[in-house]
Amino acid sequence: MEQSRRITDSFPRRRRRGPGRPPGRLKDKKDKDKDKVQLKVKVRDCPRAPSQPPPDPALMEMLRRFDLSWEYGPCTGITRLQRWERAQELGLSPPGPIRDALLEHRDNPDVTY
């Protein structure tokens, strides 16, 4: 009788312990302070995105309904505009105001994704 395969059989096995610090050893206080300083420097170096005004709640509700509507296909892993265009190509006739709103607020990630 053949043994059933598991999904984990298709992935390479990884060692659990690497050449890092030995188990049970905690970081010294000096190491913690050093990590905090490095973290602060990293945060300062990050460019900040320009703040955008929050979109209209009615627009967000319309987009939420579009997201939850399964008649236009799945929405995972793609932008709302890509989903709208895919639905149009498949002949599912998605609502036109959705596309207009997506094109109007193209720079706002709250609307795009």
Side-chain angles (χ1 to χ4, degrees):
M1 189 153 147
E2 189 174 316
Q3 195 176 37
S4 62
R5 293 190 56 176
R6 295 183 182 161
I7 193 167
T8 55
D9 293 340
S10 60
F11 296 102
R13 295 183 187 262
R14 299 178 71 183
R15 293 186 344 203
R16 291 191 183 254
R17 288 199 179 135
R21 68 171 193 237
R25 181 175 167 248
L26 299 176
K27 286 187 172 183
D28 296 334
K29 184 168 174 69
K30 291 183 282 184
D31 293 339
K32 287 182 182 179
D33 294 337
K34 185 178 176 183
D35 289 343
K36 286 181 185 178
V37 170
Q38 288 177 352
L39 180 64
K40 287 180 184 176
V41 170
K42 288 180 183 177
V43 171
R44 285 187 201 135
D45 292 341
C46 295
R48 296 195 183 253
S51 60
Q52 297 179 355
D56 182 31
L59 169 67
M60 294 307 291
E61 177 65 23
M62 181 175 65
L63 292 173
R64 187 183 70 82
R65 287 186 185 160
F66 176 68
D67 290 343
L68 296 176
S69 161
W70 278 101
E71 64 187 280
Y72 306 116
C75 60
T76 7
I78 59 174
T79 64
R80 287 177 171 144
L81 186 59
Q82 289 172 334
R83 182 173 181 238
W84 190 95
E85 290 170 347
R86 182 189 61 198
Q88 182 70 25
E89 289 174 6
L90 295 174
L92 301 175
S93 61
I98 296 287
R99 182 176 186 272
D100 298 338
L102 292 173
L103 291 175
E104 182 181 337
H105 299 280
R106 184 181 297 249
D107 298 332
N108 192 339
D110 292 336
V111 175
T112 306
Y113 298 101

